[in-house]
Amino acid sequence: MLEPNQFEEDEAWVVFQLNDAPVRTEQDGDFNCIALMDAASGFIFGTAFVSVAQAEPSVFEVRKLFNSCSERSGGTPATLLLPKGQFQTTFPSEAKRRGITAVHVHETELSALTSEATQGFREHMQGGRA
């Protein structure tokens, strides 16, 4: 299992889905909330809401997310960690374009990095109920 103390700040970023269940809206349908986070600090640089009908964010959304995150962090990481079987196209492609190595790992390997954020999102969406 990957742990935050295995990384230096801005060494690796993690892409993951914050929500367990779709975020429902009356007007626009159901969405997943995708986050881009620093592996060492747990700081979430940015998020994107993506329709559940899409497997992953569009190229435009991913570039916007990377740009926002690069501005906030002051640079880019050497590695982008992604859950295996998810985000197969746009994130790895954009990472490569920026000189970042994309690495797919089992979601269980990422849980120590992402569990606090997903728990916080869950509590927020449920109005404080866990």
Side-chain angles (χ1 to χ4, degrees):
M1 185 172 310
L2 298 172
E3 299 282 340
N5 63 6
Q6 292 176 265
F7 301 95
E8 298 292 324
E9 281 193 31
D10 291 325
E11 176 185 353
W13 290 353
V14 183
V15 176
F16 65 103
Q17 185 174 306
L18 272 169
N19 56 302
D20 298 322
V23 176
R24 299 190 179 281
T25 66
E26 286 184 30
Q27 186 173 356
D28 297 317
D30 297 345
F31 291 87
N32 288 318
C33 184
I34 310 305
L36 189 54
M37 178 182 78
D38 180 66
S41 67
F43 182 80
I44 295 177
F45 292 118
T47 58
F49 281 86
V50 180
S51 170
V52 295
Q54 294 175 246
E56 58 188 303
S58 69
V59 171
F60 174 78
E61 290 168 317
V62 169
R63 285 189 179 161
K64 184 177 172 184
L65 192 56
F66 265 99
N67 288 339
S68 169
C69 296
S70 294
E71 285 177 23
R72 287 187 172 159
S73 77
T76 56
T79 306
L80 182 68
L81 301 171
L82 305 121
K84 197 170 265 188
Q86 297 179 37
F87 314 117
Q88 304 266 351
T89 309
T90 55
F91 277 105
S93 175
E94 185 61 19
K96 182 178 180 180
R97 192 176 83 77
R98 293 172 184 259
I100 302 167
T101 302
V103 178
H104 282 88
V105 297
H106 273 282
E107 199 166 354
T108 55
E109 290 291 309
L110 297 174
S111 65
L113 303 173
T114 62
S115 62
E116 189 175 322
T118 54
Q119 178 64 29
F121 188 83
R122 183 180 310 117
E123 290 173 6
H124 175 74
M125 293 306 292
Q126 294 175 347
R129 299 181 317 269

